[in-house]
Amino acid sequence: MGTSAEPAAAARQPAAEATAPLPPSAAQVRRVVIDDGSAGQRLDNFLLRELKGVPKTHVYRVIRAGEVRVNKGRAQADTRLELGDEVRIPPVRLPERAAEGAGEYVPPREFPVVFEDDHLLAINKPAGVAVHGGSGVSFGVIEQLRQARPQAKFLELVHRLDRETSGLLLIAKKRSALVALQDQFRERETGKTYAALVAGVWPANLKVIDVPLLKFVGSDGERWVRAVTNSHDPQAEQAKRSISLVKVAQALNGYSLLDVTIKTGRTHQIRVHLAHGGHAIVGDPKYGDFEANRALARGEHRFERMFLHAQRLRFNHPAREGEEIELLAPLPEECQRLIAALSRK
C-alpha cells in the first residue's frame, strides 16, 4: 500500500499488482471542517470513520508521515479535534481486496425505538444482529442505522451487546452525549439489568458473584472468557474484577428465570458468571450445554436463540442535569412463549 507521497513506487508495480481505483472518500485531498458532531473526537478515530475500508495500520502510517494536517500543522493520533478545526485528509491508495470491500452494500434498517430525543437513541436490538461490523460480520446495527438515517450528522454506539443478546442498546446522536454517557458507564453510575433463563434451580442464597474474568483467544481463533478463582493461577494478575448481582425472578419447571444486574461491564460477564455458578444460560452457544440447547431447538418449544435480554437500563440524561432516565424493554415474543410453556408444565 502506498500514499500520494510514493508515486514512484506505485509506478514500478507490475500490472498484476496494480493498485485499485480509489474510492470517492480516498481519491483526492480533502479539507474537512470539524462540526459539533466530531468536536472532541480523537484524530485517529475521526480518520477511521472518514476513510472507511482503509486498514488501521495505514491510517496511522499517514498520520506519522505528517500527511494529515490539522489547521495546516502536523498532529498526533491522539490529538483532540475542536469545533472549527480544519483537517487535511490525503488521498489514500487501497489494495484491490480492500477497495472491493469498501463498496459493500449495507442495507438500511430501523430498529424498534424505546426512547429518542436530540441527544440519544435507545433501541430494542433483536437477537442475532451484531451491533457493528467486524470479526466476520460485514455490518451491524450502527452501520444500518447510518444508512437508514443519512441526514444524521452523528450516530455512535455508547456501549455494546453480544450478537446473541437482545434488548436495550444506546446510540449517541451528539459527541457530547457520547462522552457523558460513556463516562457514566465507566464510573458504574448506570443500572443495567438483564433477564436470563438458566437450566436447573438457581441457589436462592447465591446473590452476588464476585469472580475475576480473563479474556483469551482459544485454539479455534475465537475470543473466550474464563473465570479465575485461584490466586495461584499464572494469569491471575491479568484477570479483571467482575461483579454480578443475581435475583430469582421466577422458578419454573426445571429452569430459573433470573434478573442479573451487572456492576462491571466485562466481555461475556453474565454468560461466564452464570455458567461458573453451575447454571449456564439456555441457548448459549459458547458457554452453554450444547446437547441441551440442541434438544430445546429441535423439541416442542423450537427455541433457537440464547435467552439473555437487556431489559432495564437506568442513567442520567447527558444534557439535562439531574434528570434520570429508566428504560424498559419487554421480553421478545419467543422468550415470552417459552416462559409461558415452562410455567404450564
Side-chain angles (χ1 to χ4, degrees):
M1 289 176 290
T3 67
S4 59
E6 300 168 337
R12 288 194 299 268
Q13 289 180 323
E17 298 177 12
T19 307
L22 300 179
S25 64
Q28 57 189 2
V29 171
R30 290 190 296 139
R31 289 176 172 82
V32 180
V33 177
I34 298 303
D35 60 14
D36 182 63
S38 299
Q41 193 170 24
R42 283 173 52 123
L43 176 61
D44 52 357
N45 292 333
F46 171 77
L47 290 173
L48 287 168
R49 182 169 179 181
E50 288 292 315
L51 297 172
K52 289 184 175 66
V54 178
K56 284 186 178 181
T57 54
H58 198 50
V59 170
Y60 286 105
R61 186 182 304 161
V62 295
I63 294 174
R64 287 195 302 270
E67 295 183 59
V68 178
R69 300 278 173 146
V70 177
N71 300 328
K72 299 183 180 179
R74 294 178 69 122
Q76 304 299 316
D78 60 357
T79 296
R80 291 285 177 181
L81 299 173
E82 298 181 6
L83 187 66
D85 282 350
E86 183 186 82
V87 180
R88 177 194 184 275
I89 304 176
V92 179
R93 295 184 183 276
L94 293 176
E96 189 77 40
R97 185 178 299 175
E100 290 172 358
E104 187 166 352
Y105 175 69
V106 176
R109 180 179 179 182
E110 288 281 0
F111 297 87
V113 174
V114 179
F115 177 90
E116 183 172 10
D117 64 11
D118 291 340
H119 301 272
L120 61 99
L121 166 68
I123 65 167
N124 189 356
K125 184 187 85 69
V129 179
V131 296
H132 59 75
S135 300
V137 179
S138 299
F139 55 83
V141 168
I142 194 64
E143 290 87 2
Q144 291 191 284
L145 274 175
R146 287 171 182 158
Q147 288 293 103
R149 300 179 175 215
Q151 75 285 358
K153 292 184 178 180
F154 186 91
L155 289 174
E156 292 287 351
L157 292 167
V158 174
H159 61 115
R160 288 164 172 74
L161 292 177
D162 289 346
R163 183 177 183 177
E164 301 89 348
T165 304
S166 58
L168 291 166
L169 180 67
L170 281 185
I171 293 101
K173 297 171 71 175
K174 293 187 177 182
R175 168 67 48 187
S176 57
L178 178 66
V179 172
L181 289 167
Q182 288 185 334
D183 284 346
Q184 289 186 52
F185 276 77
R186 191 178 303 110
E187 297 300 321
R188 305 176 189 174
E189 295 174 351
T190 58
K192 291 190 286 185
T193 300
Y194 294 71
L197 183 70
V198 299
V201 178
W202 184 267
N205 62 345
L206 184 51
K207 299 178 179 180
V208 180
I209 303 177
D210 187 352
V211 177
L213 298 177
L214 177 72
K215 289 193 292 186
F216 66 98
V217 177
S219 57
D220 55 0
E222 288 283 313
R223 181 180 60 173
W224 290 79
V225 176
R226 67 178 178 89
V228 177
T229 57
N230 189 335
S231 60
H232 298 294
D233 188 303
Q235 294 181 296
E237 292 186 359
Q238 300 172 38
K240 295 183 178 180
R241 189 180 184 190
S242 307
I243 303 172
S244 301
L245 308 181
V246 184
K247 176 184 176 182
V248 178
Q250 189 176 352
L252 301 163
N253 184 18
Y255 297 87
S256 300
L257 180 62
L258 308 177
D259 282 344
V260 185
T261 300
I262 56 174
K263 293 299 182 181
T264 52
R266 311 301 183 200
T267 301
H268 299 170
Q269 177 174 321
I270 295 175
R271 300 165 67 177
V272 177
H273 269 175
L274 297 186
H276 175 73
H279 301 270
I281 295 176
V282 166
D284 189 337
K286 210 174 189 86
Y287 306 100
D289 185 324
F290 176 78
E291 292 299 331
N293 291 345
R294 185 168 63 175
L296 197 59
R298 295 180 177 180
E300 60 178 313
H301 303 304
R302 298 291 179 181
F303 190 76
E304 299 178 301
R305 56 159 290 186
M306 181 172 71
F307 199 125
L308 183 61
H309 176 72
Q311 65 178 355
R312 185 180 297 113
L313 183 58
R314 177 179 44 78
F315 56 92
N316 293 321
H317 193 282
R320 297 196 283 268
E321 188 174 352
E323 182 178 337
E324 185 175 270
I325 305 289
E326 183 166 7
L327 304 177
L328 298 173
L331 282 174
E333 290 185 10
E334 66 272 17
C335 295
Q336 293 186 38
R337 285 197 300 269
L338 180 60
I339 293 297
L342 295 175
S343 300
R344 289 194 296 267
K345 285 190 173 183

